[in-house]
Amino acid sequence: MKKTIFAIRIFLLLLALSMMLSAFAACATADDETATTEEDNMTDAVTGSVMTDKYGNVLDPDLYDKNGYIKDGLDGLDFGKEFRVLSGLEQQWSLGTTDEMKGHVIGEAIYARNAMVEERLGIEIKWDPQPNFNGGDQTAFMQRLETDIKNTHSYDCVVSYNLLPYPMAMKGLLNNLANNDYIDLEKPWWPSAFLNQILYKDQIYALVSASEKSSLENLSAIYFNNDLLEDYSLESPYDLVKNNQWNVEKLKAMIKDTYVDKNQDGKVDDKDQFGLSTSTNARLSSWYFGMGVKLVTRDASGELVLTAGDSKVGDVIDVILDLFSTNDAELVDDLNNNKFTMFTEGRALFYLATLYMGEYCTSNNIVLNYGVAPMPKLNAEQDRYYTHMPNNHPAWYIPVGVENFDCSSAFIEGMASEAYRQVEPVYYENCVKLRYAPDERLGDMYDLIRASITFDMNYVFRFYYSKDCDSYIRNCIAKPDQYKWSSSWGQIKDVVEGNFQDMVAIYNANAAKN
């Protein structure tokens, strides 16, 4: 059942040599949403038999492996079983469940990750990829798992589109992943920004890895065209970020009078040139989360508080509407057969995208002189940048009634741990920050963006709510003639508050049982 580890080790050695012992990145920031880890300041430098960080501090070999990676607690396990995983079809490339990855440097790293987990746990993974991302596929996926839980208990673990587990958890279909023998939530492969928002009453029912390819590539950012910046004699966003001047007011000033009727048809359309272009899909949420909006927060005692009805939400919507109030900025559905083209064809000075942009340009042989910056702050008083992760990254969870909960939890920990030591260095350090980057300064910006991750309890529970705040907010921005936030909130307020209280009550009831 076990696969040979020799080829894997040779592959990993070659990867390690190619990375030239590069520095590791972790999801960390200075505030209470993310906690700085030791590895933010370390490299895997080895002097003889002594391993040190870049400052010469000796690393404890009990805590770090020979390559300078933080160890997990999974050594010596052998579950000896076939391990069945219900997985999202749309996530299969980044999960390594398709042969399309073979021969691709990132795909091979993901494959090696999976094989190493099999070897370390003594399991053979059997993937069952099912559609889970669009429309009715989401409902069908959840029903498939619920039916299995009630009848056969054939799945040992599930990994899917990240918004699916939460309504199932509220129905009592998922195991609590906090406080078990194998999942260590203090390790760097679990983003503390996510845990600080989603871990509640010592309960968490799905986990998002900080080192998964899909997690890394789905971080929101503002891309800018350096050639257009020069044409308009504008300041570099790099300098603005450094001087705490990168905010919405500054962005609006920079895009002023940048609209050009490129096709000279006398109409404003998506064939023209704009100062700013943003899609109306899920990435639109990145604007208001980037300006510090929270739909759910914590009070001083750690209790959840619904803040979707606070005045700041309406105020930020007005700021965004003002940003898009002239022809210099446009909202476009860039998923309708023109993905990224507004930017890659040089017709947008600024463009909201995810970190996947670099991979897209490289894979399609697009040569573009671009830079990247975090989402702009609301104003200079905002304490930090916020990076929203749109909702198409994978979440890992365990259905109730699994044959061996220890094996399932060790599997989740192993997949994240091995992604941290195998996938993240290849994809994030080598590809995103080096191979895909046309500008040597992008690496620092990517690290800042990654260190600024934010999550929102209301957002990840949106499929549990019968009225979804996020969709209403996005409608108010994309269709201001039809939707106003004051009236929209008035329509959904009672339902949203009721759903929120029901969610909290379920958590409280579960906590009382423990």
Side-chain angles (χ1 to χ4, degrees):
M1 179 178 295
K2 293 184 178 181
K3 298 185 177 181
T4 177
I5 196 170
F6 178 75
I8 298 169
R9 286 174 173 162
I10 292 297
F11 173 72
L12 294 179
L13 177 60
L14 293 174
L15 288 180
L17 291 173
S18 71
M19 288 185 284
M20 297 298 292
L21 303 176
S22 58
F24 302 112
C27 293
T29 190
D31 76 348
D32 60 354
E33 277 208 301
T34 53
T36 302
T37 66
E38 290 182 71
E39 65 167 2
D40 287 317
N41 299 318
M42 62 166 281
T43 64
D44 49 358
V46 179
T47 305
S49 60
V50 178
M51 184 168 50
T52 64
D53 64 17
K54 63 183 179 181
Y55 303 110
N57 300 313
V58 177
L59 300 178
D60 186 346
D62 291 334
L63 300 178
Y64 295 89
D65 66 20
K66 63 182 180 180
N67 294 315
Y69 292 90
I70 294 176
K71 292 181 178 180
D72 57 33
L74 302 180
D75 291 340
L77 299 177
D78 188 352
F79 292 101
K81 73 186 300 293
E82 182 177 279
F83 193 90
R84 292 203 63 200
V85 182
L86 175 62
S87 60
L89 182 66
E90 289 81 359
Q91 290 82 33
Q92 66 175 342
W93 199 98
S94 65
L95 294 173
T97 61
T98 171
D99 288 340
E100 292 178 12
M101 67 184 185
K102 292 188 175 178
H104 191 291
V105 62
I106 302 168
E108 292 291 344
I110 296 171
Y111 173 79
R113 182 273 302 266
N114 295 353
M116 184 64 80
V117 171
E118 288 184 309
E119 176 70 24
R120 294 187 68 192
L121 301 186
I123 62 174
E124 183 177 6
I125 304 171
K126 296 294 185 181
W127 302 94
D128 184 10
Q130 298 294 327
N132 75 133
F133 188 69
N134 296 305
D137 291 342
Q138 298 160 5
T139 300
F141 188 93
M142 291 188 286
Q143 289 177 341
R144 184 185 189 91
L145 179 58
E146 185 171 4
T147 299
D148 184 78
I149 290 171
K150 291 178 178 178
N151 296 299
T152 59
H153 297 291
S154 60
Y155 295 116
D156 297 291
C157 186
V158 187
V159 55
S160 74
Y161 172 49
N162 73 294
L163 298 184
L164 299 189
Y166 304 101
M168 292 191 285
M170 294 299 94
K171 295 172 70 173
L173 300 176
L174 305 184
N175 275 291
N176 179 15
L177 302 181
N179 299 324
N180 66 69
D181 291 336
Y182 296 107
I183 297 176
D184 187 345
L185 299 178
E186 295 184 358
K187 296 297 187 183
W189 42 86
W190 302 122
S192 53
F194 176 77
L195 299 175
N196 290 343
Q197 180 62 211
I198 311 303
L199 181 62
Y200 180 61
K201 298 289 185 181
D202 212 22
Q203 299 167 62
I204 191 163
Y205 294 94
L207 289 171
V208 172
S209 167
S211 303
E212 203 75 51
K213 178 181 184 290
S214 290
S215 297
L216 294 165
E217 72 184 6
N218 279 303
L219 301 178
S220 297
I222 296 293
Y223 284 77
F224 54 89
N225 185 310
N226 281 312
D227 294 332
L228 289 177
L229 274 178
E230 185 175 345
D231 290 345
Y232 286 103
S233 301
L234 295 171
E235 302 164 85
S236 169
Y238 294 136
D239 296 330
L240 296 172
V241 170
K242 180 181 178 180
N243 297 322
N244 194 32
Q245 297 174 334
W246 180 237
N247 55 50
V248 179
E249 182 180 2
K250 187 67 176 181
L251 175 60
K252 185 179 180 183
M254 294 176 77
I255 67 173
K256 188 177 188 307
D257 299 328
T258 54
Y259 168 75
V260 177
D261 184 5
K262 201 76 171 178
N263 56 5
Q264 298 183 334
D265 63 355
K267 301 176 183 178
V268 179
D269 56 38
D270 63 3
K271 301 301 180 183
D272 295 336
Q273 176 185 300
F274 297 87
L276 172 65
S277 180
T278 293
S279 71
T280 58
N281 62 22
R283 287 195 290 275
L284 195 57
S285 307
S286 300
W287 283 105
Y288 47 88
F289 287 125
M291 296 181 204
V293 163
K294 287 288 186 183
L295 304 178
V296 169
T297 57
R298 306 282 181 119
D299 64 18
S301 64
E303 295 296 323
L304 296 177
V305 178
L306 182 67
T307 51
D310 286 6
S311 60
K312 181 174 182 176
V313 177
D315 293 343
V316 167
I317 290 173
D318 289 341
V319 170
I320 298 171
L321 289 175
D322 182 60
L323 178 64
F324 288 92
S325 62
T326 70
N327 290 343
D328 296 317
E330 70 146 7
L331 290 170
V332 61
D333 184 357
D334 68 352
L335 297 184
N336 285 342
N337 301 318
N338 63 341
K339 186 175 184 180
F340 297 148
T341 55
M342 184 64 64
F343 187 69
T344 58
E345 292 178 0
R347 290 184 290 108
L349 173 57
F350 293 101
Y351 186 80
L352 171 61
T354 65
L355 298 197
Y356 176 70
M357 173 68 80
E359 180 179 350
Y360 176 85
C361 289
T362 301
S363 299
N364 290 279
N365 298 314
I366 296 171
V367 178
L368 190 64
N369 182 18
Y370 67 83
V372 65
M375 297 302 300
K377 294 181 178 181
L378 176 61
N379 49 47
E381 287 69 45
Q382 185 171 312
D383 63 342
R384 51 162 284 195
Y385 293 103
Y386 289 102
T387 299
H388 176 60
M389 187 187 294
N391 56 23
N392 48 353
H393 53 279
W396 302 81
Y397 46 107
I398 302 174
V400 296
V402 292
E403 177 185 64
N404 189 327
F405 178 74
D406 283 348
C407 182
S408 296
S409 56
F411 172 78
I412 289 179
E413 181 79 353
M415 294 297 277
S417 170
E418 292 300 335
Y420 151 79
R421 65 194 75 247
Q422 297 184 48
V423 179
E424 177 184 332
V426 175
Y427 178 69
Y428 183 67
E429 296 293 344
N430 271 15
C431 292
V432 172
K433 293 172 65 176
L434 294 177
R435 181 185 170 199
Y436 299 158
D439 186 328
E440 69 276 4
R441 293 172 292 179
L442 260 66
D444 290 341
M445 285 295 102
Y446 285 141
D447 285 342
L448 173 61
I449 290 165
R450 192 179 177 201
S452 305
I453 295 176
T454 185
F455 290 86
D456 186 89
M457 189 82 157
N458 187 284
Y459 184 85
V460 299
F461 268 87
R462 57 184 298 195
F463 284 178
Y464 174 72
Y465 285 72
S466 54
K467 298 291 184 181
D468 171 20
C469 284
D470 185 70
S471 294
Y472 279 85
I473 294 173
R474 283 173 15 201
N475 283 337
C476 290
I477 297 170
K479 304 172 184 177
D481 294 337
Q482 301 177 42
Y483 299 93
K484 306 295 180 185
W485 177 243
S486 57
S487 57
S488 293
W489 176 246
Q491 294 172 12
I492 67 175
K493 177 178 182 292
D494 291 342
V495 175
V496 171
E497 289 180 345
N499 290 157
F500 174 76
Q501 294 302 329
D502 290 343
M503 180 190 73
V504 172
I506 291 172
Y507 272 96
N508 288 335
N510 289 341
K513 296 175 185 177
N514 297 331

